[in-house]
Amino acid sequence: MSQTVAVLDIGKTNVKLALFDRGRLLWEKSAPNRIRSGPPYPHEDVESAWSFFLDALREAARTHQINAIVPTAHGAAGALIGEGELAAPVMDYEFTDVDAIEVDYAALRPPFSETLSPKLPAGLNLGRQLAYQKWRCSELFVKARHFVGYPQYWAWRLSGVAVSEVTTIGAHTDLWAPREGQVSSLVRALGVDHLLPPMRRAFEPLGPIQPAIAAATGLASDTPVFCGIHDSNASLLPYLVSRQAPFTVLSTGTWVILMSVGLSLDQLDPRDDTLANVDALGRPIACGRFMGGREYAIITESGGNADLEAIERVIASGAMALPCFSGQGGPYATTAGVLRGEVAAQDRAALATLYCVLVSDLMLTRMGAAIGDLIIEGTFVRNLLFCQTLGALRPSQRVFAAEDASGTARGAAMLAQWPPSYRMVEPAPVAPISISGLDRYRKAWTAIVDLIAR
């Protein structure tokens, strides 16, 4: 049965409204996601995003009958909700002054063995943000009635129903114990258990849109709002229903998130920034992450994609990009990125491609993801040499490219009809490629990186 689903997709860089019918993209519109400088700390500009979504829904409703709404959003963001409004701004996870509470927070923070959530910089552990808000913004914190993940904030804003959801609360927050399938000991230690609303599944409807939203957008008053999902887990959904484990999805954008389904959790190591996220069905998934999209942009300076000749020129020159250029994410977040050797401006994209491939390869190896297909989705799919070079380094694994710039939103749209009754478009196989000197280059790069880390 035809059903048009509107997805509110809140990324770190952009916000987007996209309409889907049985997995087919019908309409989309996007805008930059802004961060306000404060006070009381840098925070998401939720009102600009809200205005964008209302305008976009109104525009889309003129030509499409919208039957459901599903929100998806980036991780490491959560909302303290008061009486009908935010009690405190939604903190930007790159706010570094949360370091001021580290001594007190470390005394409460559960061990990695419980949460499978590594200690991350700035506000990338959502529990750390919550502790900062409680201890340093107490006049705002006392107004809070609920604390919800960022996708569920938008679901609440649309429906008026506050809920918790496992993919969001289980995304390196310190607040979830994945093996036990319950909140971690930090929730009680921090004294915030009363703020967490009931758990609901990502694919559960919460209720209809609020009357004022129906009036402002022209949507039917009974349009249901679904609970919503963490964005990387939205990217994973199509493969959970179409593939047998083991397999790994590389969800690429500002962050590169490596999600290995069917992999043991035993090789996860917080020093490598490997961790467990939780899928929409509540199952822990072995993951790794680094800020590949941002690092790619820093290295290239002007963006663009590489070609094979440029890749081979960089390899022959011995020039290297050595981690880390973002200051967060991956095994070498605490080391400063260095460009070694001379590279022509037109070869910067090749250098950045090699860097992102090598970090991905390293993290896959450390996670133990040595078997099963590799499916690349997101922005790096447009860089064919990224896909081909990763495949050349891992010849025992097949590489596929999900040629879909709307993978996160498309996956989220599936939640309005779960499990889906329609087939998803299969990712395209990436043909194997031979790159002269690549294996030697990897060995040299790895040796240098190992020295830097000591």
Side-chain angles (χ1 to χ4, degrees):
M1 182 176 67
S2 179
Q3 175 173 262
T4 299
V5 181
V7 175
L8 277 63
D9 184 358
I10 303 95
K12 176 63 174 172
T13 305
N14 296 295
V15 293
K16 177 171 67 176
L17 182 76
L19 305 188
F20 295 89
D21 181 3
R22 296 177 61 84
R24 181 170 61 95
L25 178 65
L26 303 176
W27 186 96
E28 67 179 344
K29 187 173 185 178
S30 64
N33 188 17
R34 299 183 177 90
I35 299 296
R36 300 182 68 87
S37 60
Y41 41 71
H43 56 269
E44 298 275 342
D45 189 348
V46 297
E47 294 309 318
S48 288
W50 180 243
S51 295
F52 164 78
F53 284 127
L54 289 180
D55 290 344
L57 284 167
R58 183 164 49 247
E59 182 180 343
R62 295 191 190 109
T63 52
H64 297 84
Q65 181 179 335
I66 295 172
N67 305 110
I69 302 176
V70 179
T72 183
H74 65 80
L80 288 164
I81 300 170
E83 295 293 344
E85 62 183 3
L86 282 173
V90 176
M91 186 183 294
D92 174 22
Y93 65 64
E94 296 188 79
F95 176 54
T96 56
D97 284 3
V98 293
D99 290 341
I101 66 163
E102 180 54 28
V103 172
D104 292 329
Y105 183 67
L108 301 182
R109 189 170 185 270
F112 181 78
S113 59
E114 178 185 346
T115 63
L116 301 180
S117 173
K119 176 187 174 184
L120 301 176
L124 282 166
N125 294 123
L126 191 52
R128 200 169 182 228
Q129 292 185 34
L130 190 56
Y132 183 93
Q133 289 170 312
K134 180 177 182 179
W135 296 337
R136 297 300 174 96
C137 306
S138 56
E139 72 286 357
L140 300 175
F141 189 87
V142 295
K143 301 175 185 177
R145 297 295 175 265
H146 298 291
F147 179 74
V148 298
Y150 207 28
Q152 288 67 56
Y153 165 74
W154 294 100
W156 168 81
R157 187 126 186 202
L158 290 161
S159 69
V161 180
V163 298
S164 299
E165 188 276 326
V166 71
T167 67
T168 303
I169 200 171
H172 52 81
T173 64
D174 296 341
L175 299 168
W176 190 252
R179 288 191 174 101
E180 288 73 31
Q182 63 187 25
V183 295
S184 74
S185 57
L186 176 64
V187 172
R188 184 174 296 276
L190 195 55
V192 296
D193 42 329
H194 66 289
L195 292 178
L196 298 183
M199 295 292 297
R200 299 285 289 273
R201 296 283 198 176
F203 45 79
E204 288 188 47
L206 303 184
I209 56 174
Q210 300 197 69
I213 297 168
T217 61
L219 298 179
S221 60
D222 60 351
T223 304
V225 177
F226 285 75
C227 179
I229 190 168
H230 172 231
D231 58 3
S232 296
N233 277 281
S235 301
L236 184 63
L237 282 176
Y239 310 106
L240 291 180
V241 298
S242 64
R243 286 187 173 259
Q244 293 293 318
F247 64 86
T248 299
V249 174
L250 282 74
S251 178
T252 65
T254 302
W255 288 91
V256 173
I257 311 293
L258 308 96
M259 298 172 283
S260 291
V261 177
L263 190 70
S264 168
L265 305 178
D266 294 341
Q267 286 188 233
L268 300 179
D269 188 330
R271 294 169 296 183
D272 292 334
D273 203 358
T274 55
L275 61 147
N277 281 346
V278 183
D279 73 13
L281 301 177
R283 302 171 300 191
I285 301 292
C287 293
R289 15 159 284 139
F290 70 103
M291 217 169 189
R294 179 168 295 178
E295 295 197 272
Y296 188 96
I298 292 170
I299 295 167
T300 62
E301 295 183 338
S302 58
N305 292 329
D307 57 44
L308 180 57
E309 291 78 11
I311 291 279
E312 292 185 332
R313 280 197 301 271
V314 171
I315 290 173
S317 76
M320 293 179 180
L322 303 170
C324 161
F325 296 89
S326 66
Q328 53 189 311
Y332 305 108
T334 59
T335 61
V338 173
L339 298 180
R340 180 173 293 191
E342 296 295 327
V343 175
Q346 66 267 27
D347 289 345
R348 284 274 191 150
L351 183 66
T353 297
L354 284 165
Y355 172 82
C356 290
V357 166
L358 288 165
V359 177
S360 298
D361 173 66
L362 177 72
M363 297 197 75
L364 288 167
T365 298
R366 292 190 178 181
M367 289 166 60
I371 59 174
D373 294 342
L374 302 175
I375 303 123
I376 301 165
E377 70 89 33
T379 56
F380 279 9
V381 170
R382 297 193 291 269
N383 185 347
L384 179 59
L385 260 295
F386 174 87
C387 306
Q388 292 174 318
T389 307
L390 184 61
L393 286 178
R394 307 186 73 82
S396 64
Q397 295 176 273
R398 297 185 301 172
V399 176
F400 294 81
E403 298 174 358
D404 182 3
S406 302
T408 295
R410 195 183 307 275
M414 296 171 64
L415 296 171
Q417 190 184 43
W418 184 265
S421 59
Y422 54 89
R423 290 178 61 87
M424 303 299 293
V425 176
E426 283 293 310
V430 175
I433 187 175
S434 176
I435 301 177
S436 178
L438 178 61
D439 190 57
R440 183 173 62 253
Y441 185 87
R442 172 174 58 179
K443 289 177 180 176
W445 183 89
T446 303
I448 295 170
V449 165
D450 285 345
L451 285 173
I452 290 172
R454 288 175 188 166

